[in-house]
Amino acid sequence: QTRLAESGGGSVQAGGSLTLSCVASDSTYRSCMGWFRQAPGKEREGVASIDGEELSRTRYADSVKGRFTITLDHAKKTLYLQMHNLTPEDTASYFCASKAGICWLPSLTASNYDSWGLGTQVTVSS
C-alpha cells in the first residue's frame, strides 16, 4: 500500500483559506487520488478527486464546488487541496486517499480507495 501523509491543517476564521498537502510514498499515487473529510458524529464524505494520469479529470462534492481545487504535482508526489471561502461547515478531519490500478473515473466514494493517510484537522470559526 501507498503511504500517505497529510499536512496543512489548522484553524482559520470563516472566509479564510488553507491549502492541504498529501505526500505519497510511491508511484501508485498516479491512479485515482482524493480528499475526504469527516466531522464528529458524521460519516466520511468525499470532497474532491483527481485522475493521476489525466489531471484535467477532477470531481468535486457540490458543497465545495467553486471554493476548493484539487491538484497533483507528479514531481513532488504531492496532492494538494486549495480551500477558499471556508465556512464552519468545512470543519472536519481531512484525509487523502489513493487507489491502485487504473482510474476509470475519479470517485468520491471512500470504499473505492485502498490507501489512506492519518488526516489533518481543519477548524473554521465563525
Side-chain angles (χ1 to χ4, degrees):
Q1 283 188 333
T2 299
R3 290 190 299 275
L4 302 170
E6 305 95 336
S7 63
S11 297
V12 296
Q13 290 190 329
S17 300
L18 281 174
T19 296
L20 306 182
S21 301
C22 171
V23 179
S25 64
D26 59 43
S27 61
T28 57
Y29 77 93
R30 296 187 75 91
S31 183
C32 289
M33 292 199 75
W35 285 100
F36 292 76
R37 66 187 181 187
Q38 188 166 17
K42 295 187 177 181
E43 292 186 355
R44 188 168 297 190
E45 64 169 339
V47 174
S49 62
I50 189 168
D51 180 345
E53 296 291 350
E54 294 286 344
L55 299 181
S56 61
R57 297 179 69 202
T58 58
R59 187 173 180 183
Y60 295 92
D62 289 343
S63 59
V64 307
K65 281 180 181 177
R67 300 189 299 122
F68 290 11
T69 302
I70 187 170
T71 56
L72 179 59
D73 184 330
H74 287 313
K76 297 181 179 179
K77 295 183 181 179
T78 301
L79 180 73
Y80 298 98
L81 185 68
Q82 295 176 290
M83 306 184 294
H84 299 290
N85 195 20
L86 287 161
T87 72
E89 288 69 34
D90 296 315
T91 295
S93 292
Y94 283 71
F95 302 86
C96 69
S98 70
K99 173 187 176 301
I102 298 173
C103 184
W104 298 108
L105 185 68
S107 172
L108 297 179
T109 302
S111 60
N112 288 339
Y113 292 82
D114 41 49
S115 294
W116 292 85
L118 297 179
T120 186
Q121 178 67 33
V122 172
T123 303
V124 185
S125 58
S126 58

